[in-house]
Amino acid sequence: MSHKPTALVIGAGIGGIATAARLAKNGYDVTVLEKNGNSGGRCNQIIRDGHRFDIGPTLFLMPEVWEETFASLGERMSDHLDLRRIDPTYKVHFEDGLQLQLTSNIGEMQTQLEHVEPTAFTGFLSYIAEGARHYKLSLEKFVGRNFYNIFEYFSLANLPLIFQLKALQKHYTNTSRFFKDERLKAAFTFQNMYLGLSPYDAPATYSLLQYTELAEGVWYPMGGMYAGIQALARVAEKLGVEFIYNAPVKKLKVDGSKVVGAELEDGRAFSADLFVGNADLPYIYDQLLPDPVEAKKLDEKLYTCSTIMFYWGVDKQYPQVAHHNVFLGGDYKASFDQIFQEHRLPDEPSFYIHAPVRTDPAAAPEGQDTFYVLVPVGHLEARTKQDWDAMVNKARETVFTRIAKEMGITDLREHIKFEITYTPKTWQERFNLAKGAAFGLSHNFWQVGFLRPQNRHAKYKNLYFAGASTHPGTGLPIVLLSARLTTERILKEFKGSRVADAQLEHAAA
């Protein structure tokens, strides 16, 4: 009898689902243990009184990465997801009354930009061209590959990439080469917040974000972002993956240089040949492994920001609210300093409103609206006094004040049927996110590539990681890349081992 190698995945976030499916496709018997009652992790949904909310991500970016994931599993993405392009991608509101609609329509962009700054359109074309170079170089040479040692990462062939990708330059500073108006600099750098980063700290490499939006497109899967999770989970189950929900792991049992089992909080125990951690990586080191020294090192790294979330079921429609709406605070620099250095809500908060009914009427009862409101805020910080009730109230009032002033919506408060609120404490408690940092570990020069926590444990050789806080980083398509890279590493490094031999034997049979 051939032995089918076994793998245990801790966490059913998108990285865990995709890694489990890829391993199953390659001959593994895979079980996924998930703390919560369904899959998806942060990419989850709330359904209440006919209103459907995405909990976390709302932007479907880099569809080619999703397509490759489905193709690697023997499927076509188009058979599972009905994608609609959102264009204009956003309506951006500034406190002084300026509004910009970011769009892939070049003529419209020229008209809008030259109204603000006569030379801005030329700068825009150069900026997007740079973003295209960064995007293609990054996918091919950086985020789309594994680095197995420090010499490979800093090789003579790789060193020029640091300069070509402007990894040592700050994004906001670099944007000044293309735009003079401070509002335009803000309009083309706020996207760093998708990664929970400040544009004043993020590498200039991230001009690639604007390229992906305007050239590759911002998309919406009918049924919401959670439709992507459901599709991947169905494919994984079709390949034989078993999902066990409401199964929080208490600890990983180790023996020498191996993990030998996982113990659940209810006492159940699971063993496997291979383990993949998809829970937040700092949480795994701190809570599941006997590694206090490594856990402390991770605790001292830089973390992304968090968010205050409002999920509002609204009993009327407000057509002036677009699918994606961004409201930028007045003092752009100060707001990021207050989020990332003072770990609080800014004096003049920026925020984002998602109104999926504009594209997907099924997201709310007929004639009603479903509003998702995201307000960036500092992560949990024990050394800082943080009054979350006060910050939530201030964030809510900021939203009401600005949409009244800039959209003429003065009665929203009276038409909210219910409100569900998330704070950094919610992110920490529900999803085990260290410090309640909604996007995981931060990205700077010292926390990317080989310098980011690796996707294989240094001591426990059969423990791998997939997700936002390992290589290559955060963001749904990037986590899908993480799943691919982790699977590739497993298949490569287990070559010649008992597991690989069993895999080959099983495949031959």
Side-chain angles (χ1 to χ4, degrees):
M1 293 287 293
S2 63
H3 166 65
K4 194 173 183 181
T6 56
L8 195 65
V9 179
I10 314 300
I14 191 170
I17 298 169
T19 305
R22 285 176 179 270
L23 288 173
K25 181 71 173 174
N26 280 279
Y28 280 75
D29 184 347
V30 187
T31 301
V32 180
L33 302 175
E34 167 54 40
K35 168 184 184 281
N36 293 308
N38 61 349
S39 55
R42 284 161 277 187
C43 188
N44 222 300
Q45 68 174 359
I46 296 169
I47 297 177
R48 179 169 168 182
D49 297 345
H51 295 268
R52 187 189 67 234
F53 305 86
D54 285 312
I55 288 179
T58 59
L59 299 169
F60 192 102
L61 300 172
M62 299 169 66
E64 71 277 14
V65 175
W66 289 79
E67 287 175 347
E68 187 280 330
T69 299
F70 279 99
S72 73
L73 304 174
E75 303 282 337
R76 293 190 306 176
M77 181 175 72
S78 58
D79 291 337
H80 295 272
L81 296 177
D82 177 8
L83 297 182
R84 308 292 173 88
R85 186 162 185 170
I86 308 300
D87 195 6
T89 55
Y90 312 92
K91 186 179 285 185
V92 184
H93 300 255
F94 299 86
E95 278 203 328
D96 64 0
L98 175 67
Q99 295 184 18
L100 292 175
Q101 291 197 94
L102 302 188
T103 172
S104 59
N105 184 314
I106 295 297
E108 287 186 20
M109 284 299 292
Q110 181 174 9
T111 300
Q112 292 184 84
L113 293 173
E114 290 182 347
H115 176 73
V116 178
E117 178 185 316
T119 61
F121 182 65
T122 301
F124 166 76
L125 294 178
S126 299
Y127 184 68
I128 294 301
E130 179 182 273
R133 291 194 299 273
H134 288 174
Y135 179 76
K136 296 179 189 307
L137 264 178
S138 293
L139 275 186
E140 180 184 348
K141 304 286 189 181
F142 192 68
V143 300
R145 59 163 294 185
N146 280 307
F147 295 98
Y148 294 94
N149 56 63
I150 192 73
F151 303 106
E152 191 173 279
Y153 185 60
F154 285 116
S155 67
L156 289 176
N158 239 33
L159 279 176
L161 286 177
I162 295 173
F163 302 99
Q164 292 169 23
L165 292 172
K166 298 189 173 181
L168 299 176
Q169 298 183 40
K170 303 304 182 187
H171 192 184
Y172 190 87
T173 303
N174 182 62
T175 308
S176 300
R177 297 178 54 244
F178 306 97
F179 307 104
K180 303 303 179 191
D181 191 284
E182 296 298 321
R183 295 168 298 179
L184 294 184
K185 295 176 191 177
F188 291 101
T189 57
F190 76 81
Q191 294 86 350
N192 290 141
M193 292 301 291
Y194 304 162
L195 307 177
L197 304 177
S198 164
Y200 295 93
D201 297 323
T205 311
Y206 289 119
S207 60
L208 62 85
L209 290 169
Q210 291 72 44
Y211 166 77
T212 62
E213 289 180 352
L214 296 177
E216 306 287 333
V218 171
W219 301 81
Y220 178 84
M222 298 300 283
M225 293 296 292
Y226 196 65
I229 296 293
Q230 292 171 313
L232 284 174
R234 283 194 302 269
V235 171
E237 289 175 333
K238 179 179 173 182
L239 291 168
V241 175
E242 180 185 8
F243 290 87
I244 301 177
Y245 297 109
N246 300 306
V249 174
K250 180 180 181 181
K251 66 178 179 180
L252 293 174
K253 297 180 179 179
V254 300
D255 182 10
S257 63
K258 290 179 61 178
V259 175
V260 295
E263 179 184 332
L264 303 191
E265 289 183 1
D266 63 12
R268 283 180 289 171
F270 293 81
S271 61
D273 298 309
L274 173 76
F275 294 80
V276 179
N278 178 236
D280 193 34
L281 186 142
Y283 174 84
I284 294 175
Y285 275 84
D286 183 49
Q287 297 293 321
L288 304 186
L289 290 170
D291 289 331
V293 174
E294 290 301 317
K296 188 173 188 300
K297 289 179 183 177
L298 283 173
D299 184 67
E300 293 171 350
K301 288 186 178 293
L302 291 177
Y303 284 74
T304 56
C305 71
S306 191
T307 62
I308 291 171
M309 308 293 302
F310 301 111
Y311 306 100
W312 288 333
V314 183
D315 67 8
K316 66 177 283 190
Q317 283 194 3
Y318 294 91
Q320 58 268 59
V321 182
H323 189 115
H324 297 297
N325 310 263
V326 174
F327 293 77
L328 296 178
D331 193 331
Y332 195 61
K333 174 69 164 62
S335 70
F336 285 105
D337 289 344
Q338 289 156 7
I339 291 170
F340 289 94
Q341 296 176 23
E342 300 173 29
H343 305 294
R344 64 180 179 91
L345 182 73
D347 294 333
E348 300 177 86
S350 298
F351 60 93
Y352 159 76
I353 301 178
H354 180 231
V357 173
R358 298 302 162 270
T359 304
D360 188 355
E366 185 175 358
Q368 301 188 25
D369 250 327
T370 291
F371 286 167
Y372 156 123
V373 182
L374 181 155
V375 187
V377 68
H379 61 61
L380 296 172
E381 177 53 63
R383 293 166 292 187
T384 302
K385 183 178 179 181
Q386 296 172 305
D387 184 341
W388 292 110
D389 288 340
M391 284 191 268
V392 165
N393 290 333
K394 179 178 177 179
R396 185 189 298 109
E397 292 305 314
T398 297
V399 176
F400 289 147
T401 299
R402 288 202 59 183
I403 64 173
K405 174 185 174 184
E406 296 166 44
M407 288 184 162
I409 298 175
T410 58
D411 62 348
L412 177 59
R413 192 191 307 264
E414 291 75 38
H415 289 280
I416 293 176
K417 297 156 58 179
F418 64 85
E419 172 185 276
I420 299 170
T421 305
Y422 274 32
T423 69
K425 291 181 179 178
T426 317
W427 294 116
Q428 181 183 54
E429 292 166 4
R430 182 168 180 190
F431 300 111
N432 290 335
L433 298 177
K435 302 180 189 288
F439 309 87
L441 285 175
S442 189
H443 301 72
N444 63 13
F445 180 77
W446 303 106
Q447 290 184 194
V448 295
F450 187 78
L451 304 178
R452 195 169 182 80
Q454 291 294 288
N455 53 10
R456 185 189 191 185
H457 197 283
K459 179 178 179 181
Y460 308 117
K461 302 301 185 184
N462 65 334
L463 174 58
Y464 289 79
F465 304 101
S469 290
T470 186
H471 176 68
T474 193
L476 282 187
I478 304 304
V479 173
L480 286 176
L481 287 175
S482 168
R484 174 173 70 79
L485 295 178
T486 298
T487 305
E488 288 176 358
R489 186 164 190 172
I490 290 168
L491 297 178
K492 174 181 178 178
E493 292 180 337
F494 275 14
K495 184 178 180 181
S497 72
R498 178 178 67 84
V499 175
D501 290 343
Q503 179 185 341
L504 293 171
E505 180 184 346
H506 173 77

